[in-house]
Amino acid sequence: MDNYTFVLNFALPGGQDDPEQYRDALYESGCDDAAVGVGQHGMVGLDFTRAACSAEDAIRSAVANVRAAIPTATLVQAGPDLVGLTQMAEICGFSRQNMRKYATGQSGASEAFTPPVIVGDPSLWHLAEIVAWLRLNTAVQPPDDVLQVSKAAAKLNFEVERKRLRKILQLA
């Protein structure tokens, strides 16, 4: 078993609940390997370091534990998945300026940098795509668990977005 580090963000029932009331239930349901953040009203964020056979097993078991504690909580996002240049650089262990050189094509890499998923201020990329690009085009070799966790988080986020899309398409 390996340890996997990831974040899960949930919307609480009704969006009005005080997240503090769920701390004990989360701990008792198996989230004793997470730091619980309750800074945003109506939301709870959990920063996990979980031992499991795979990153996907770690994330899915954590989601199940949260749902056992707060059955009506809605998963909003798993991470790391969508990241900006600063977060990419931190995760990969080098400066933001170096990451920016890769993103703007100034690094001399043979293959163009992966385009952002969201263009804006800041632009956002799927971390899994960036890790794979770095491995193929640079001497930077981010740890394998970063790729595994970011792929598992992206997969779960696509499932969440698929449910949102169904609701959007039903809007009048």
Side-chain angles (χ1 to χ4, degrees), residues 2-6 8 26-36 46-52 57-59 61-63 65-66:
D2 292 316
N3 283 327
Y4 299 97
T5 301
F6 56 93
L8 298 175
L26 287 165
Y27 182 84
E28 291 167 8
S29 73
C31 297
D32 55 336
D33 54 351
V36 179
L46 297 101
D47 191 344
F48 283 90
T49 299
R50 179 161 286 202
D57 288 347
I59 292 174
S61 68
V63 169
N65 292 151
V66 173

Side-chain angles (χ1 to χ4, degrees), residues 3 15 19 23-26 29 51 60 62 70 92 99 113-114 116 122 134 156 160 171-172:
N3 283 327
R23 281 187 186 265
D24 290 339
L26 287 165
S29 73
R60 292 207 182 270
I70 316 169
C92 295
M99 193 74 244
F113 195 75
T114 303
L134 287 168
L156 186 55
V160 168
L171 295 175

Side-chain angles (χ1 to χ4, degrees), residues 4-141:
Y4 299 97
T5 301
F6 56 93
V7 175
L8 298 175
N9 293 301
F10 286 85
L12 296 172
Q16 300 300 318
D17 285 349
D18 178 10
E20 285 288 338
Q21 69 180 308
Y22 297 108
R23 281 187 186 265
D24 290 339
L26 287 165
Y27 182 84
E28 291 167 8
S29 73
C31 297
D32 55 336
D33 54 351
V36 179
V38 293
Q40 187 173 350
H41 192 72
M43 299 286 293
V44 64
L46 297 101
D47 191 344
F48 283 90
T49 299
R50 179 161 286 202
C53 294
S54 71
E56 189 166 350
D57 288 347
I59 292 174
R60 292 207 182 270
S61 68
V63 169
N65 292 151
V66 173
R67 288 190 172 139
I70 316 169
T72 55
T74 303
L75 179 64
V76 175
Q77 185 179 39
D81 178 19
L82 293 176
V83 294
L85 293 176
T86 300
Q87 192 175 7
M88 273 186 252
E90 289 172 4
I91 291 168
C92 295
F94 47 85
S95 71
R96 183 188 187 287
Q97 290 78 10
N98 194 36
M99 193 74 244
R100 189 175 182 289
K101 283 182 182 180
Y102 291 131
T104 59
Q106 299 173 8
S107 68
S110 60
E111 187 178 320
F113 195 75
T114 303
V117 176
I118 297 172
V119 177
D121 190 21
S123 291
L124 300 174
W125 289 260
H126 284 291
L127 180 58
E129 289 182 304
I130 300 310
V131 169
W133 184 90
L134 287 168
R135 287 180 167 191
L136 292 172
N137 294 284
T138 72
V140 176
Q141 297 298 305

